Amino acid sequence: MLPKYKEVAYEIEKDIINRKYDEGNKLPTVEELMKEFQVSKNTIRSAIDLLVEKGYVYQVQGSGIFLRQNHIEGYINISNMKGLTKDLPDIARKELKNKIIKFEVVKADEDLANKMKCDIGAEVYNVKRLRLLDGKPFSIEDSYFNKNIVVYLNNEIIENSIYSYITEALNYSIGFANKKIYCEKLSNEDAKLIGLSQGENTIIVENTVFLTNGLVFDVSKSIYNYLDTKFIMTTNNI
Amino acid sequence: MLPKYKEVAYEIEKDIINRKYDEGNKLPTVEELMKEFQVSKNTIRSAIDLLVEKGYVYQVQGSGIFLRQNHIEGYINISNMKGLTKDLPDIARKELKNKIIKFEVVKADEDLANKMKCDIGAEVYNVKRLRLLDGKPFSIEDSYFNKNIVVYLNNEIIENSIYSYITEALNYSIGFANKKIYCEKLSNEDAKLIGLSQGENTIIVENTVFLTNGLVFDVSKSIYNYLDTKFIMTTNNI
DNA sequence: AAGTGGTCTAGACCACCGT
DNA sequence: CGGTGGTCTAGACCACTTC
């Protein structure tokens, strides 16, 4: 059961996506939204704050709540964090397949234990997958999952969506993430997998993902094909 | 005059940076903060929400408000948007210099007019600068400023900080930005400027910056030296 | 059960925009 | 000056964690 302000934000988000407010590029006034959803002013404002944070709208005091272009065809929103399978409405029409390169249980060394805030020697899943969109190599993802949290994985799960499994089957809720973005030369092995040349630079995203209680459950490094992948993000000046 | 919740957020942010809460990695309880700052619960919560959005803390219901590592030495926080001069406490000790490569007034073509939401043929400043840290090439920034908003620029301003000038001298307030991040081959000219090889891929950030009233005032493309520049960002699952 | 964060309301008043 | 967003409060009650 979602709280009211999230429910309202979700409804308005749907309306925005369905182009209900395209004419005028403007949302109804706060007062009109209060009447529409039968909630107090603060609840509407909390809902709008969420939409501002997501980059859907901006507010101008004394004037209104305006739509903001936050989506560009072909770009991946790097702020999303529900996993590739759920993240990409844009490419969702395409078929996403995961080819397993490696799937094993290893013991965390000092570096990994540090990143995962777990004990040295703790068991972790190491999953390396080649991700294909309509059969075309899209990214190489090398992930580690804390086995104390993600107690079980199998081939079927990792060929589909690990994130769906974690949030729906294991019922964990994902809280936040740190991301590092940089450019790095491809190894011979990775270059072959993703269809580029060895020694060529491409774009890398390292991800450390936390549950809402602050535990690290996933540390990953993803290598993207720079020819096909551009990221977009929105920021607010707070 | 800042509103109370921003003032409170600012004070707590200072305390976090000054390591006041490092022991226990925890902030005082909401009730304690209410007493400390003599404000209502909702005001404290608004302040904490800002710190959550900035990646400083996370909240666990029933448990507390915990510190989150949001800063790693050597990484540039890509979510910041006050301009390089103000953004980088990390490298602020270093000397930032701007070498002007190009500074002229041009008329917006269709593509630029589209990006800047201005008329085709409208006058814009085009400023291309090589940015140096301690004398070392750090990035090449090619910017366009809407001349209807940024009515005047000169060599002195663009050798120092354009953003300081816009926010302090012109008294505009910056609202939000869209950023595109990708990897692209260097031209011969740019490769020479930044000290890499022609045809080598490096990391690019395109920036469209809006005032709080929704007007675009700056469109820019920055080319970074991939050897020296890695970005970091924090996200929340909302 | 006690402690701590999360949601919601009604109402008051302020600040800014446009006419 | 009317319309619209922005801030703030006191208080009630809920939900989760910790012991």
Side-chain angles (χ1 to χ4, degrees):
Chain A
M1 176 66 172
L2 284 177
K4 282 187 190 178
Y5 75 99
K6 286 189 181 174
E7 190 60 53
V8 169
Y10 179 66
E11 292 300 325
I12 298 174
E13 181 178 354
K14 275 200 304 192
D15 288 340
I16 291 172
I17 291 169
N18 292 330
R19 307 181 156 281
K20 180 170 175 181
Y21 307 119
D22 274 14
E23 191 185 337
N25 267 300
K26 213 176 170 194
L27 258 55
T29 65
V30 172
E31 199 163 354
E32 284 164 348
L33 292 169
M34 285 168 67
K35 277 180 193 151
E36 179 179 347
F37 293 103
Q38 289 294 307
V39 295
S40 70
K41 180 171 179 178
N42 280 343
T43 299
I44 292 295
R45 290 195 49 75
S46 295
I48 300 296
D49 283 348
L50 284 186
L51 298 174
V52 169
E53 198 176 339
K54 283 195 176 192
Y56 282 108
V57 298
Y58 62 94
Q59 294 165 282
V60 182
Q61 189 168 16
S63 184
I65 305 167
F66 300 88
L67 291 187
R68 172 175 172 190
Q69 184 186 24
N70 78 329
H71 174 79
I72 297 180
E73 188 79 22
Y75 284 78
I76 296 177
N77 186 335
I78 198 172
S79 303
N80 288 346
M81 47 183 305
K82 300 188 199 318
L84 191 57
T85 316
K86 291 220 162 177
D87 260 3
L88 306 172
D90 209 35
I91 59 177
R93 305 160 223 136
K94 301 189 182 181
E95 183 196 34
L96 176 68
K97 279 205 175 177
N98 296 306
K99 189 181 161 198
I100 302 171
I101 309 292
K102 189 166 59 179
F103 174 33
E104 56 190 37
V105 176
V106 299
K107 293 192 190 303
D109 62 15
E110 188 175 347
D111 178 52
L112 186 60
N114 206 356
K115 282 185 184 167
M116 301 201 77
K117 296 203 273 183
C118 69
D119 294 333
I120 296 175
E123 289 194 325
V124 293
Y125 279 113
N126 180 202
V127 180
K128 184 168 179 175
R129 304 183 295 178
L130 179 65
R131 318 201 72 176
L132 304 141
L133 278 182
D134 281 346
K136 197 179 173 197
F138 170 76
S139 74
I140 303 166
E141 181 197 85
D142 195 3
S143 311
Y144 295 87
F145 295 94
N146 187 333
K147 202 163 175 294
N148 280 326
I149 299 170
V150 185
V151 291
Y152 175 74
L153 285 178
N154 64 29
N155 281 282
E156 195 199 333
I157 294 167
I158 66 179
E159 272 178 359
N160 291 288
S161 172
I162 297 177
Y163 272 63
S164 298
Y165 170 71
I166 288 168
T167 56
E168 287 157 28
L170 297 181
N171 205 28
Y172 283 120
S173 56
I174 295 172
F176 52 95
N178 293 338
K179 287 165 188 281
K180 296 178 186 175
I181 305 150
Y182 56 93
C183 202
E184 192 180 66
K185 291 198 191 312
L186 281 159
S187 72
N188 193 16
E189 180 199 358
D190 290 336
K192 275 183 192 158
L193 284 172
I194 207 156
L196 293 169
S197 309
Q198 179 183 8
E200 198 169 18
N201 282 329
T202 198
I203 194 157
I204 314 286
V205 179
E206 286 186 27
N207 222 344
T208 305
V209 192
F210 300 75
L211 300 178
T212 44
N213 64 11
L215 293 176
V216 176
F217 80 96
D218 178 19
V219 167
S220 70
K221 176 175 174 174
S222 292
I223 299 170
Y224 294 88
N225 186 323
Y226 75 94
L227 293 171
D228 305 324
T229 310
K230 295 183 175 200
F231 295 102
I232 191 167
M233 62 181 285
T234 56
T235 61
N236 294 301
N237 188 19
I238 57 171
Chain B
M1 177 67 172
L2 284 177
K4 280 188 190 178
Y5 75 98
K6 285 189 181 174
E7 189 60 51
V8 169
Y10 178 67
E11 292 299 325
I12 298 174
E13 182 179 354
K14 275 200 306 192
D15 288 341
I16 291 172
I17 292 170
N18 292 330
R19 306 182 157 281
K20 179 170 174 181
Y21 307 120
D22 275 14
E23 191 184 337
N25 266 298
K26 213 177 170 196
L27 258 55
T29 65
V30 172
E31 198 162 354
E32 285 165 346
L33 292 170
M34 286 168 66
K35 279 181 192 151
E36 179 179 348
F37 293 102
Q38 289 294 309
V39 294
S40 71
K41 182 172 179 177
N42 280 344
T43 299
I44 291 296
R45 288 194 52 74
S46 295
I48 299 297
D49 283 349
L50 284 186
L51 297 173
V52 168
E53 199 177 340
K54 283 195 175 191
Y56 282 108
V57 298
Y58 63 94
Q59 294 166 282
V60 182
Q61 189 170 17
S63 184
I65 305 167
F66 300 89
L67 292 188
R68 171 175 172 191
Q69 185 186 21
N70 77 329
H71 174 79
I72 297 179
E73 188 79 22
Y75 284 78
I76 295 177
N77 187 336
I78 198 171
S79 301
N80 289 347
M81 47 182 306
K82 299 190 200 314
L84 190 58
T85 316
K86 291 219 163 178
D87 260 4
L88 305 173
D90 211 35
I91 60 177
R93 302 160 225 137
K94 301 188 182 182
E95 184 196 33
L96 177 67
K97 279 206 175 176
N98 296 307
K99 190 183 160 196
I100 302 171
I101 310 292
K102 188 165 60 180
F103 174 33
E104 55 191 37
V105 176
V106 299
K107 294 191 188 302
D109 61 15
E110 187 176 348
D111 178 51
L112 186 60
N114 206 356
K115 282 185 185 169
M116 300 200 79
K117 297 202 274 183
C118 68
D119 294 333
I120 297 175
E123 288 195 325
V124 293
Y125 279 113
N126 180 200
V127 180
K128 185 168 179 176
R129 303 183 295 178
L130 178 65
R131 317 202 73 176
L132 304 142
L133 277 181
D134 281 347
K136 198 179 171 198
F138 169 77
S139 75
I140 303 166
E141 182 198 82
D142 195 4
S143 311
Y144 295 87
F145 296 94
N146 187 333
K147 202 162 175 298
N148 280 327
I149 299 170
V150 185
V151 291
Y152 176 73
L153 285 177
N154 63 28
N155 282 283
E156 195 200 334
I157 294 167
I158 66 179
E159 273 179 359
N160 290 290
S161 172
I162 297 178
Y163 271 63
S164 297
Y165 170 71
I166 288 167
T167 55
E168 287 157 29
L170 297 182
N171 205 28
Y172 284 119
S173 57
I174 295 171
F176 50 95
N178 292 339
K179 287 165 189 280
K180 296 178 185 174
I181 305 150
Y182 56 92
C183 202
E184 193 180 65
K185 291 199 192 311
L186 281 160
S187 71
N188 193 16
E189 180 199 358
D190 290 337
K192 275 184 194 159
L193 284 173
I194 207 157
L196 294 169
S197 307
Q198 180 183 9
E200 198 169 17
N201 280 329
T202 198
I203 194 156
I204 314 286
V205 178
E206 284 185 27
N207 223 344
T208 304
V209 191
F210 300 75
L211 299 178
T212 44
N213 64 9
L215 293 176
V216 177
F217 80 96
D218 178 20
V219 166
S220 71
K221 176 175 174 174
S222 292
I223 299 170
Y224 293 88
N225 185 324
Y226 74 94
L227 293 170
D228 305 323
T229 310
K230 297 184 172 197
F231 294 102
I232 192 167
M233 62 181 284
T234 57
T235 62
N236 294 302
N237 188 19
I238 56 171

